Structures are given as C-alpha cells and as structure tokens.
Amino acid sequence: MKKILLTFVLLFSLVMHAQIKEEGFEKKGFEPQLRISVDEGVDSYKNFSFGLDIITAYRINEYFRIGAGTGLNYVDLAYEKSTVINGKYFKPYYESAMAIPIFANIKANFTKTKISPYLTFDAGYNFFIPFSKYAQKNKLGAFFKPTLGVDFHFSSCTLFIELAYRYQMREFALWTNSHG
C-alpha cells in the first residue's frame, strides 16, 4: 500500500508543480512552488509523514531564491519503541495527527542549465493538531530541513527531485518527568 501511495504522490507532485510553475527559469521575481513530501523516520522512533507545502518565494537571480511556506502534513508519530519483554516482541505504538508548518525557505541553484543541482534549507515551526487524547501529550516545535535536489527545466515547467534530512523538535510528556 505504501508503494502505491508513494507512486501516486510522486506523479501528483509532478503534475501539480507543472501547472503552478511560471514560465522561464532565468526570470527574476515571484516564484510559487507546490511541494508534496513523504518523510520516513530512520531513528528508534520511526515517524512517518505525508504532506503538502506551498512556498511563495522571490527569485533574486538565476541562482538564489528566498521565501516562506506553509502546509498541512499528516503524521504518524511513534510513542513507544519496539521492545522485547520476557522474550515477547512488542511493536512500536503510533498515533496519528496533523501538523501545520510555517517556515522560511532559501534555495541556491549551482547552475542555470536545464538540469540544475541545488541546495535548499527550510527552518520553521510546526503547529500540532492531535487526533486523540493520548497524542495531546505530544508537542511539536521548531524544525529545520536541509535538502539536496535537482531541478529539471522544461519549456513550460520545472520538475524537481529532493533528498532531505528533517530535524523536528518534539516533546512527549511520557518520555520525561513532566506531568499533565
């Protein structure tokens, strides 16, 4: 199921970005972007998120862009690690929620050719909307996301592929000695 969802997300992302992108890469000025992302955690608490971000930015020149974004992300957050107790394996426990990010975005393209590698950096804050009382004990906060990507410029649009690392500040009341 995840493979089907991921394929759909990638295709939808490419089509939607093609419809929004203004014509011309060398153009200075306003440059909107629609980004669909799928994030998979790699640490002990393997969190999953699926989201849609809208970034409004200003292209300063062929190489640099600066802007701000917001979005809506569905998240599955791990609340308990997988454990083995008396030889019995227990899977991690997850709860679902929504996160609304508000962030600054900086992008630097390395070239102005049809295939252009780039670096971007997002930094901002996630507002958390829990779906259960258990998840209410969780608090998301500041995050940063450095990204390495490649733009593929066509005559009517630009498509892109990215690989990113996202660090999310997170506090969960049951992991600390705090109460409430």
Side-chain angles (χ1 to χ4, degrees), residues 126-176:
N126 261 318
F127 294 94
F128 186 66
I129 303 169
F131 291 164
S132 71
K133 286 188 179 193
Y134 190 75
Q136 287 177 351
K137 295 179 171 101
N138 188 75
K139 291 185 176 114
L140 295 181
F143 72 90
F144 64 87
K145 185 176 182 178
T147 304
L148 178 61
V150 178
D151 281 331
F152 298 93
H153 302 284
F154 300 99
S155 60
S156 63
C157 67
T158 299
L159 304 177
F160 59 95
I161 296 174
E162 298 181 332
L163 179 62
Y165 171 78
R166 180 184 183 120
Y167 179 78
Q168 174 69 61
M169 299 289 289
R170 180 178 177 206
E171 184 179 312
F172 181 53
L174 296 180
W175 291 341
T176 64

Side-chain angles (χ1 to χ4, degrees), residues 33-37 39 52-57 65-71 73 101-108 118-126 141-148 160 162-168:
Q33 181 181 31
L34 181 65
R35 175 174 65 189
I36 294 178
S37 60
D39 297 326
L52 173 70
D53 294 331
I54 297 170
I55 300 170
T56 56
R65 184 189 81 185
I66 188 165
T70 188
N73 294 286
I102 296 178
F103 57 93
N105 172 270
I106 298 171
K107 180 177 181 181
Y118 64 84
L119 287 173
T120 67
F121 185 78
D122 294 345
Y125 189 87
N126 261 318
F143 72 90
F144 64 87
K145 185 176 182 178
T147 304
L148 178 61
F160 59 95
E162 298 181 332
L163 179 62
Y165 171 78
R166 180 184 183 120
Y167 179 78
Q168 174 69 61

Side-chain angles (χ1 to χ4, degrees), residues 28-114:
K28 291 181 185 178
F30 178 68
E31 184 178 277
Q33 181 181 31
L34 181 65
R35 175 174 65 189
I36 294 178
S37 60
V38 177
D39 297 326
E40 182 71 40
V42 293
D43 61 358
S44 304
Y45 296 96
K46 293 190 177 204
N47 303 312
F48 170 80
S49 71
F50 168 77
L52 173 70
D53 294 331
I54 297 170
I55 300 170
T56 56
Y58 183 82
R59 182 160 290 282
I60 298 167
N61 60 33
E62 294 93 346
Y63 300 100
F64 296 104
R65 184 189 81 185
I66 188 165
T70 188
L72 190 60
N73 294 286
Y74 167 85
V75 293
D76 274 338
L77 298 172
Y79 285 86
E80 295 176 20
K81 291 182 181 182
S82 59
T83 58
V84 177
I85 301 172
N86 295 329
K88 198 172 197 181
Y89 175 76
F90 294 90
K91 291 183 179 181
Y93 177 72
Y94 291 89
E95 286 279 341
S96 298
M98 294 300 286
I100 301 172
I102 296 178
F103 57 93
N105 172 270
I106 298 171
K107 180 177 181 181
N109 285 83
F110 297 135
T111 67
K112 58 180 186 175
T113 58
K114 288 189 178 252

